[in-house]
Each structure stands twice: as C-alpha cells, then as structure tokens.
Amino acid sequence: MEKVRTLASIKNDIERHIGEKVTLKANGGRRKVYVNEGVLESVYPSIFVIRLDNDTQRTVTYSYSDVLTKTVQISFGSI
C-alpha cells in the first residue's frame, strides 16, 4: 500500500534536495508529456523553483499540489 502523502511531507522532501539535479515529468494536457532536467533552485511556502539545464535563463515553478495530484513527477539525481 502506498504511503499517504500530505503537502507538508512533499514540501519537506523537496526542501531536502535544494541545489541537486532533478528530472521533471510534467503533464501538458492532451496527451503531451514534457520531460525536463534542471537544478532545484529554491523552495517557498507554496511553490518550488527549478532552473532548466537547456536554457540558462529559464526557470519553471510548480506547486506542491501538482506533485500530490501527480500532474508533475519529480525524481532527484540524474537518471
């Protein structure tokens, strides 16, 4: 059985990996899935920020509820 996840536990888990490389798999709607790699830059009370590797100036932000609802899947370390 899968462990029950709350927003607080997701935030704490992500917060421990600041500065590490991450891989994101985001649902773009209409059968589109975006896979990006970057560095977890900062964590805020409602969102977290990732600087993408493919473009030095581009950052993306996601909320912890995106991870909870599995709209965004995040894995730490390079694959």
Side-chain angles (χ1 to χ4, degrees), residues 9-58:
S9 68
I10 292 170
K11 180 181 183 287
N12 289 335
D13 189 31
I14 291 174
E15 202 168 40
R16 286 185 284 163
H17 296 282
I18 291 177
E20 291 184 20
K21 245 178 143 29
V22 296
T23 302
L24 289 170
K25 187 186 268 188
N27 182 0
R30 295 213 178 221
R31 298 183 187 162
K32 293 179 189 169
V33 176
Y34 300 108
V35 177
N36 290 315
E37 290 186 356
V39 175
L40 181 59
E41 193 169 83
S42 54
V43 173
Y44 296 101
S46 299
I47 61 170
F48 56 97
V49 179
I50 296 178
R51 180 168 303 279
L52 299 179
D53 283 345
N54 56 2
D55 190 357
T56 58
Q57 298 299 318
R58 184 158 180 228

Side-chain angles (χ1 to χ4, degrees), residues 22-27 33-36 48 50 62 66-76:
V22 296
T23 302
L24 289 170
K25 187 186 268 188
N27 182 0
V33 176
Y34 300 108
V35 177
N36 290 315
F48 56 97
I50 296 178
Y62 294 102
D66 290 335
V67 177
L68 181 66
T69 59
K70 296 182 181 169
T71 303
V72 173
Q73 295 175 356
I74 186 168
S75 58
F76 304 104

